[in-house]
Amino acid sequence: MTTTFALLLRTARHECGLTLEELSEVSGVSVRALSDMERGKALGPQRRTVELIADALKLEGVRRAEFVALAKAGRARPERLTVAPGLCELPGSIGDFTGRTAELTWIAGLLDASDEPTDRLGAAVISGGAGVGKTTLVVRAAHRLRDRFPDGVYFLNALGMSRRPAASTDLLGLALRAIGVRDQQLPQAPAERAGRYRQLLRQRRVLVIVDDAAAESQVRPLLPGAGPSQLIVTSRRLLAGLEGVQRLHLDPMPAVDAKDLLGRILAERAGPPRADDLQQLVDLLGGLPLAVRIVGNRLTSRPGWSTADLVARLSAAERRLDQLNAGDLKMAAAFEMSYEQLPDLVRPLFRRASLVPGADFSAALLSVIGEVPVAVAEDRLDDLVDLGLLDAAEGGRYRFHDLVRLYASRCLQAEDPVNVVTDARRRMVAWLLDTLTTAGRSVQPGGVDTAVFGCADDAEAWIRAESEHWFQALGAAAVAGDHRAVVRAVNAVYAFYERWVHWPHWADVFTLALDSAVQLDDAALQAEFLNHLAYTHTLPWRMDGTAALDCAQRARALARQAGDLRQEAFALLYTAAALRVRPPRDPQAALGAIRQATDLFARVGDVGAHMESVLGCGVIAFDLGNTAAALADYQRALAITEDPGSRLTPFAVEAVLPHILGHTAQALGRLGRRDEAIPMMLRAVHLFERLQVVMGQAAWLRILGEELYGNDHAAEARASLSRAGELYETVGQHERAAYCRDRANAISTAGAEP
């Protein structure tokens, strides 16, 4: 067993900066003997040997006397302890353990550190939710590393999720008996028992595992003091109050490891499962090892079932938890133990959180659903995070694991009256749409509502963060017949559309608003939302000229019916855009339509839309190969934005300027005026970046690299195209990203040719 003499020897050697080999050479004591002393295998070296080592380490005075005395104490061994065989024995490690390489490495590094003298507490907490595999991981690591703890590896079940967790004094008693203290020698006072425990751990190299801890107070007396022994605690709780411990939070397994684990469990089944079926199962289980184990055991114990059969059973969300049981392994029971640990005031918020449709959510939204102040909601959500029933997400938000959400939903159905659930859902929808309306208006010029959002940036951030929720809320309001709320919210958020144009659900948003406008029998509103839809169909990455033309023509008819010249002009604008791309393309007809739109916008006095239509005339002229005419139109549009008397708002100028600059730069490049074009295009890219309009930034970077830099400036061209590819990837435009990478490589290859 490791003694304090061994610790003092290691410490003194490190202070002298000597390796074992160097100390052996100076003292004349063999390397093996020195190594045995440092590891505690040589408990009481002879006095002459100790003096030789002390001379080599240049120990003097009190330090030398202490060194010699500790060696003598090791020889005396005043107390003989007999290890109790089988007590607190480590459970067996499963043979099909899979993955967790980084976590095992972390634990190994933690235990390796015990070989070096340090003031750091030799303790770690491994936390994580139900079924994530904390115990399995620690047991696996302990079996692999038990040779490093010759004086014992002890496993204590703290019963933290039971109704009566083990008392810390009982855990100390178990540990002391396992080490070899007889019952009649056990101190009765808790403080004395803890002191005796620390004393023995300081003299030995022991690994103590406390599994399923309930609270800090249960574990704190088992923290080791100085010495080579180590404590590892597993808990569903974070145990944030423990000071000086190392921490590892265990997340669900990556999908590839979960699939590998399931494949290993099913390896002995007749006929290997199809890879697609395995992947579907893993996707439904969310990487929880316990769920994977249950599914594997069910299939192994039922040879007549196919993997596809279980996929079908699990695919129905309302049945999934019922299917995740195999004998005494039950996924719902694992969640229930955590749920029962919650304070009574926290449970309703956990249940109602399952009403939130999106992947993550804020405390503000939960405060509305739970009818509590935001500060109270934050405290209760922290309780849920502490127990592993929620995960903390980026930006101070919270996230369910999919299976935990299903459990919370089941609890909601079982415990909350229907009218309570209905009212909570109605409050959530109303709050989301009211806040969306305010946020949309706040991003418009002069529209910041400081009572809700401090600035337009805060409003934009809310729209992005809560998009999954307010999008679902629009649908819920439409189903409930609250069509005016739908129309009001969509009209407000349209001001943000250009800044987040790559978001994939805009067409669905405008379709919902159109349906509500139909229900309200409002022709002008129908025309407006049909125009919005037409625009979405003309975007380059989702081009559908036929659908765009249909929407624009319907919008024009409804606008005429309503006598709305402005919406009629927009319909002509989008008709022109559709005719540019709809096979067979008809750029001449497109030019005629957009000129009509330009005239109508001038008549109604919409300067911003008039300027956009002038820009559109230039785009169509560019398509027709009339670059000089296109440049003239672009310059007219630019003059309008730069004219202080144009009455354009700064917001409108900010939104359209990078488009104008980019088109102008492209035309200048075609006319051979690259020296003028490149700085202008760089400015357009910068403005789009500042606006966080990823698609615009990527598009102009592509043209910058492909048309303006080209092979004449190969390095700059490659950089621009590579950056464009990176940006396209961030918004899921994989084909465009691949094209940019290929073009960058082509320029690289061309540049390498002699």
Side-chain angles (χ1 to χ4, degrees):
M1 59 190 73
T2 304
T3 67
T4 50
F5 169 75
L7 292 175
L8 184 53
L9 173 57
R10 274 203 309 273
T11 301
R13 178 171 65 81
H14 283 289
E15 288 174 353
C16 291
L18 296 174
T19 65
L20 281 173
E21 290 76 9
E22 290 168 340
L23 180 57
S24 172
E25 183 178 347
V26 175
S27 66
V29 180
S30 71
V31 172
R32 181 171 181 177
L34 290 169
S35 176
D36 286 346
M37 291 177 210
E38 287 200 0
R39 289 183 293 124
K41 288 189 175 182
L43 297 177
Q46 296 301 310
R47 181 180 182 86
R48 177 59 183 157
T49 301
V50 174
E51 289 177 344
L52 287 171
I53 297 171
D55 290 341
L57 294 173
K58 300 180 180 179
L59 296 178
E60 298 177 352
V62 175
R63 191 101 184 268
R64 184 185 183 95
E66 181 185 13
F67 189 70
V68 173
L70 287 173
K72 182 178 180 180
R75 291 194 297 275
R77 298 200 66 198
E79 177 183 32
R80 182 176 297 278
L81 298 179
T82 303
V83 175
L87 189 60
C88 303
E89 181 63 23
L90 187 67
S93 178
I94 59 174
D96 51 25
F97 185 93
T98 305
R100 300 299 195 192
T101 303
E103 292 84 354
L104 287 169
T105 301
W106 184 88
I107 295 173
L110 176 80
L111 300 185
D112 280 341
S114 65
D115 291 333
E116 301 297 331
T118 177
D119 293 332
R120 181 180 57 79
L121 192 64
V125 173
I126 298 179
S127 59
V132 81
K134 302 177 294 297
T135 303
T136 303
L137 170 69
V138 172
V139 168
R140 180 71 168 191
H143 275 287
R144 291 175 58 176
L145 303 169
R146 68 184 311 162
D147 288 347
R148 303 185 191 182
F149 297 92
D151 298 319
V153 176
Y154 303 120
F155 184 90
L156 309 175
N157 189 345
L159 304 173
M161 289 296 108
S162 69
R163 294 184 183 275
R164 296 186 63 184
S168 59
T169 53
D170 293 337
L171 293 173
L172 285 167
L174 278 173
L176 288 170
R177 290 187 186 96
I179 292 171
V181 177
R182 297 173 182 173
D183 286 350
Q184 58 269 32
Q185 296 173 323
L186 279 177
Q188 295 305 306
E192 293 179 8
R193 186 171 289 193
R196 183 76 174 113
Y197 163 86
R198 287 192 296 273
Q199 178 193 34
L200 290 175
L201 260 61
R202 187 172 64 249
Q203 297 172 354
R204 291 159 172 77
R205 184 182 292 274
V206 168
L207 173 61
V208 179
I209 298 169
V210 177
D211 188 51
D212 189 22
E216 292 90 341
S217 60
Q218 185 189 36
V219 175
R220 191 171 279 112
L222 287 111
L223 294 174
S229 292
Q230 292 277 327
L231 171 71
I232 296 180
V233 180
T234 74
S235 179
R236 295 191 189 183
R237 296 186 181 276
L238 298 176
L239 303 183
L242 290 179
E243 59 281 342
V245 300
Q246 304 293 303
R247 297 185 180 276
L248 173 66
H249 187 75
L250 204 58
D251 293 318
M253 300 177 76
V256 63
D257 289 342
K259 186 176 179 181
D260 187 20
L261 173 59
L262 186 55
R264 292 189 182 202
I265 297 171
L266 300 178
E268 297 181 4
R269 270 188 118 229
R274 294 190 320 140
D276 288 348
D277 291 337
L278 280 183
Q279 187 61 56
Q280 288 185 62
L281 282 175
V282 167
D283 291 342
L284 290 167
L285 303 178
L288 283 184
L290 177 58
V292 174
R293 175 74 52 190
I294 289 171
V295 164
N297 288 359
R298 289 199 77 182
L299 287 171
T300 302
S301 60
R302 292 167 173 80
W305 279 17
S306 71
T307 314
D309 291 334
L310 194 51
V311 169
R313 288 174 176 243
L314 291 170
S315 293
E318 65 275 7
R319 298 182 59 196
R320 193 169 305 156
L321 284 177
D322 293 329
Q323 298 299 316
L324 290 177
N325 65 83
D328 63 349
L329 294 178
K330 301 180 186 295
M331 199 69 246
F335 296 144
E336 184 177 6
M337 286 192 291
S338 294
Y339 181 64
E340 289 180 348
Q341 299 290 318
L342 292 173
D344 291 341
L345 290 174
V346 178
R347 293 183 186 181
L349 196 70
F350 170 70
R351 299 193 299 267
R352 294 180 192 179
S354 66
L355 295 172
V356 178
D360 56 47
F361 48 85
S362 66
L365 180 55
L366 262 292
S367 75
V368 172
I369 298 174
E371 295 185 284
V372 295
V374 174
V376 173
E378 288 174 340
D379 291 342
R380 295 179 184 177
L381 286 166
D382 286 344
D383 286 340
L384 294 171
V385 171
D386 186 56
L387 260 171
L389 289 170
L390 284 180
D391 292 323
E394 292 183 7
R397 298 171 71 80
Y398 303 86
R399 178 184 292 113
F400 267 124
H401 186 281
D402 288 345
L403 294 180
V404 180
R405 182 195 294 274
L406 291 177
Y407 177 76
S409 181
R410 171 183 287 189
C411 293
L412 183 73
Q413 294 175 26
E415 300 182 43
D416 290 67
V418 173
N419 65 304
V420 171
V421 176
T422 300
D423 287 346
R425 186 177 282 111
R426 185 182 297 118
R427 283 195 306 276
M428 176 178 68
V429 170
W431 181 81
L432 284 167
L433 294 193
D434 286 346
T435 310
L436 177 63
T437 302
T438 301
R441 291 171 178 169
S442 295
V443 300
Q444 298 174 20
V448 174
D449 184 345
T450 54
V452 179
F453 298 105
C455 62
D457 288 345
D458 291 343
E460 288 192 18
W462 187 93
I463 294 171
R464 292 175 189 266
E466 303 293 346
S467 58
E468 284 187 90
H469 303 138
W470 60 253
F471 174 55
Q472 298 283 345
L474 286 170
V479 170
D482 194 358
H483 300 298
R484 294 198 180 280
V486 173
V487 167
R488 182 171 60 249
V490 175
N491 262 332
V493 80
Y494 181 72
F496 181 66
Y497 177 39
E498 286 282 357
R499 295 176 183 265
W500 204 26
V501 73
H502 63 269
W503 188 57
H505 298 300
W506 284 118
D508 300 316
V509 167
F510 298 140
T511 299
L512 282 170
L514 173 62
D515 291 344
S516 287
V518 170
Q519 294 299 318
L520 294 171
D521 195 25
D522 190 320
L525 279 176
Q526 292 176 56
E528 180 178 355
F529 294 125
L530 278 166
N531 276 326
H532 294 342
L533 273 172
Y535 181 33
T536 64
H537 291 308
T538 64
L539 295 172
W541 53 92
R542 55 175 305 165
M543 189 73 72
D544 186 343
T546 300
L549 186 60
D550 176 66
C551 289
Q553 289 175 338
R554 289 164 57 198
R556 188 180 184 193
L558 285 162
R560 284 181 167 179
Q561 176 186 327
D564 191 328
L565 291 179
R566 185 170 180 273
Q567 289 305 323
E568 183 181 353
F570 274 117
L572 286 164
L573 182 66
Y574 299 132
T575 296
L579 290 170
R580 281 187 61 220
V581 297
R582 177 178 175 270
R585 296 172 66 249
D586 192 345
Q588 289 293 351
L591 190 59
I594 203 166
R595 284 174 175 166
Q596 291 183 64
T598 305
D599 292 340
L600 277 178
F601 282 131
R603 283 176 58 190
V604 299
D606 190 328
V607 180
H610 174 73
M611 178 267 299
E612 288 186 38
S613 62
V614 171
L615 178 63
C617 288
V619 171
I620 296 172
F622 192 84
D623 288 344
L624 290 167
N626 194 343
T627 307
L631 181 59
D633 285 327
Y634 298 155
Q635 290 173 334
R636 282 176 58 205
L638 184 60
I640 294 172
T641 64
E642 293 176 341
D643 180 7
S646 68
R647 303 194 309 279
L648 277 178
T649 66
F651 179 85
V653 171
E654 183 183 49
V656 77
L657 185 57
H659 292 280
I660 299 174
L661 291 173
H663 283 296
T664 305
Q666 187 180 26
L668 288 170
R670 290 283 178 90
L671 294 172
R673 297 160 62 180
R674 291 190 183 183
D675 290 345
E676 298 174 65
I678 289 173
M680 189 174 289
M681 187 66 84
L682 287 170
R683 184 183 172 202
V685 169
H686 172 70
L687 291 175
F688 270 135
E689 181 179 13
R690 194 170 68 182
L691 292 172
Q692 301 180 56
V693 179
V694 175
M695 293 298 293
Q697 188 183 352
W700 290 148
L701 278 168
R702 178 188 64 78
I703 291 173
L704 179 64
E706 197 170 27
E707 299 185 20
L708 301 185
Y709 282 139
N711 289 327
D712 294 340
H713 300 83
E716 292 86 349
R718 286 194 297 273
S720 294
L721 286 163
S722 297
R723 179 58 180 153
E726 292 170 1
L727 289 167
Y728 279 131
E729 285 289 359
T730 66
V731 292
Q733 295 293 314
H734 305 303
E735 290 185 9
R736 290 173 180 271
Y739 173 84
C740 290
R741 287 194 297 269
D742 290 344
R743 292 295 298 133
N745 291 335
I747 290 174
S748 177
T749 303
E753 295 175 355

